[in-house]
Amino acid sequence: MVRSIEITKVTIRDRLVVDASVVMSNPQDFDFSPRASLDGSTLAIQNDGEETDSATTELDSEQTTRAEMDRMLELRVKFSVEGMHGVLLHKTKNVKDGPNSKKLAEPRWKTILPLTM
């Protein structure tokens, strides 16, 4: 189940690109089916079947025109689970400094959504 959805950035590339941050309730929860709708210049992203958890943002005129023309958008989602790891007691100073440092994997997802108007 989705705890919250937040639209972080909206840009135009080949099509309208929306970056979103989604917080899930449980690490074993995989039920996320996003739906996008445009009402005037207001873009809304919500999980299918849940009308309460919806993220909205106002588009400028160029973004609105592009969305109406394509009738689709590219959704890039960064997932997280709130409270999954608890509180860190011993933090590493800077993990990127070592000679063998590696970036940790981040749960990200990209899809193309049809836009309902």
Side-chain angles (χ1 to χ4, degrees):
M1 177 162 194
V2 175
R3 182 169 293 180
S4 68
I5 301 172
E6 177 186 358
I7 297 174
T8 56
K9 186 168 88 171
V10 178
T11 57
I12 296 177
R13 294 198 178 168
D14 294 338
R15 62 181 66 91
L16 189 67
V17 178
V18 177
D19 292 345
S21 176
V22 175
V23 178
M24 303 299 282
S25 298
N26 183 333
Q28 299 300 319
D29 192 6
F30 306 109
D31 185 25
F32 180 62
S33 301
R35 301 293 183 251
S37 62
L38 185 66
D39 184 22
S41 65
T42 304
L43 175 70
I45 305 286
Q46 64 185 20
N47 193 19
D48 188 29
E50 297 177 20
E51 284 78 27
T52 57
D53 294 335
S54 175
T56 60
T57 188
E58 290 291 324
L59 301 179
D60 61 18
S61 62
E62 184 181 353
Q63 293 170 341
T64 305
T65 304
R66 186 65 179 204
E68 290 172 348
M69 187 172 60
D70 290 343
R71 295 194 182 263
M72 71 173 110
L73 60 88
E74 181 177 328
L75 181 66
R76 297 190 292 186
V77 180
K78 179 183 176 193
F79 289 102
S80 63
V81 179
E82 189 173 307
M84 180 174 159
H85 300 294
V87 177
L88 291 175
L89 300 176
H90 306 288
K91 296 182 181 178
T92 306
K93 291 180 183 176
N94 191 355
V95 296
K96 298 185 289 185
D97 285 345
N100 297 327
S101 62
K102 297 178 182 171
K103 186 176 179 182
L104 294 174
E106 294 179 342
R108 295 190 182 260
W109 190 51
K110 184 177 6 176
T111 187
I112 295 181
L113 289 179
L115 194 59
T116 58
M117 298 196 181

